[in-house]
Amino acid sequence: MSFFKNIQTKNQKLIIPFINEKDFELYMKREDLIHPVISGNKFRKLKYNIQSIDKKKQLISFGGAYSNHLLALSYIGKYENLNTVGIVRGEELKNLELNTTLKRCIENGMKLKFVDRNEYRLRNNKVYIKKLKKTYMNSLIIPEGGTNDKGIKGCEEILSDDDRVFFDVICVPVGSGGTFSGLINSSSKKQLVIGFSSLNNSNLKNDIIKFVNKKNWELIEDDVFGGYAKFNQELISFINNFYNITKIKLDPIYNSKMIFRIIDTIKKKKWRFGKRILIINTGGLQSIESFNNLLKNKKCETISFTT
Ligand SMILES: *Cc1c(COP(=O)(O)O)cnc(C)c1O
C-alpha cells in the first residue's frame, strides 16, 4: 500500500550537561520524526501487517486508553479507506469523557469496544479470537501493539549497516517487546541491545525469547516510576528540562523513562555497558495532550510543549 515507504531515520548526537563526550558518545535515532500522528515504531510494525491485506477487510486490534497503536491503526484505516475496530482495555471508560487519544481514534472512523480487564486478558486466546472473527466478518485481527512476526520484520529495518558497525549498545523502550525483538534480530552479534520496560509484565522475557534469534540482549524490567503510564513530578520536570537542553520532545510513557534511566545511570557512574550508545526514540508524542489534561486536573506541573 502506498502509505508505507522505506525509511531510514537520522541519528542525532546528544550533548548532555555533566556527560563528557570523550567518555560516552550518545546518539538518538529520530524514529519520532517519521510521522506526526503515527509513532515511529507503530509505523514499522504496521507496515508488513497492512501491506499485504485486501481492501475489503476490516482491521481489529487491542490497546489501552493512551494507545499509540490504536491511534496509528485508525489513522491508516482512514487513509486507506479500511474499517477499523479498537478493543479498549477498561469497561469504565465507556461512561467517562474520552481522552484525546480515543477521541481521535473515533474521528478517524474507528469503532471502539470497551471491555473489562478480564476480557482484555483474553486478547491472545485462540477461542476468543475465533469468536471475534465470527462477530466481525472478514476481519484481520492484529495483536496488541502490532507485535507479531510481520511487525517484528518491520522493526528489523530500523538499524542501518553503519549502525551495526559503529555502536556498542542500542537502547529502546519496551511495551510488548516487538520493537526490541526486531532490533535484536537485526543487530550485530557484538552489540548489546538493552530494553527498558515501561510496564510490569513478568511474562515479557518469555514473549521476547519466542521472537528473537540471538542472545545479545538485556531487559531492564523494573520501571522506576511504578509501571505503565505512571509518573511523578521528577519525570515531568525531566521531560521539560530535556526539551530545554536539546529541543527534543519526549513522550511521558516510553522514551522519557528510558532516557531518564540512561542519563541517571551514567551520572551515578553505574553504566556497565559500552560507550557508543544509540538510543531509539520511538515517538509517541500524541499521548501528551491526554497526559497534560490529567496533570492539570491534579494541579501538577504540565509538559511544556505541544506536538
Ligand atoms: C508501542 C510503543 C512502544 C513499545 O513498543 P513495543 O514494540 O510494544 O515494545 C514504545 N514507544 C512508543 C512510543 C510506543 O508507541
Side-chain angles (χ1 to χ4, degrees), residues 74-180:
S74 73
Y75 186 94
I76 290 164
K78 184 178 158 195
Y79 188 91
E80 298 285 3
N81 220 352
L82 297 160
N83 288 330
T84 54
V85 178
I87 297 179
V88 184
R89 179 180 55 223
E91 204 174 22
E92 72 284 356
L93 297 171
K94 198 161 47 183
N95 306 317
L96 303 172
E97 199 199 332
L98 293 183
N99 67 28
T100 7
T101 303
L102 296 176
K103 268 189 202 151
R104 287 195 185 127
C105 285
I106 290 176
E107 281 163 19
N108 288 336
M110 179 176 258
K111 290 198 193 95
L112 298 182
K113 178 176 156 51
F114 296 94
V115 300
D116 63 34
R117 277 149 177 84
N118 287 330
E119 183 171 339
Y120 194 82
R121 237 170 259 134
L122 296 173
R123 64 194 178 278
N124 295 322
N125 176 294
K126 283 201 180 107
V127 180
Y128 181 70
I129 298 283
K130 244 190 187 164
K131 245 172 65 187
L132 276 182
K133 283 203 163 152
K134 261 195 192 152
T135 313
Y136 300 98
M137 298 297 278
N138 197 22
S139 58
L140 175 75
I141 299 181
I142 298 174
E144 181 184 53
T147 293
N148 55 13
D149 289 340
K150 287 190 176 119
I152 289 163
K153 183 179 166 197
C155 293
E156 290 171 6
E157 297 176 354
I158 296 173
L159 295 180
S160 71
D161 289 338
D162 286 348
D163 295 335
R164 275 183 278 274
V165 175
F166 185 76
F167 292 103
D168 308 317
V169 186
I170 296 153
C171 298
V172 69
V174 175
S176 61
T179 314
F180 186 39

Side-chain angles (χ1 to χ4, degrees), residues 266-277:
I266 290 177
K267 276 187 185 166
K268 287 178 175 154
K269 304 204 186 316
K270 287 187 175 160
W271 186 261
R272 56 193 165 85
F273 312 110
K275 310 269 185 211
R276 289 178 165 178
I277 304 165

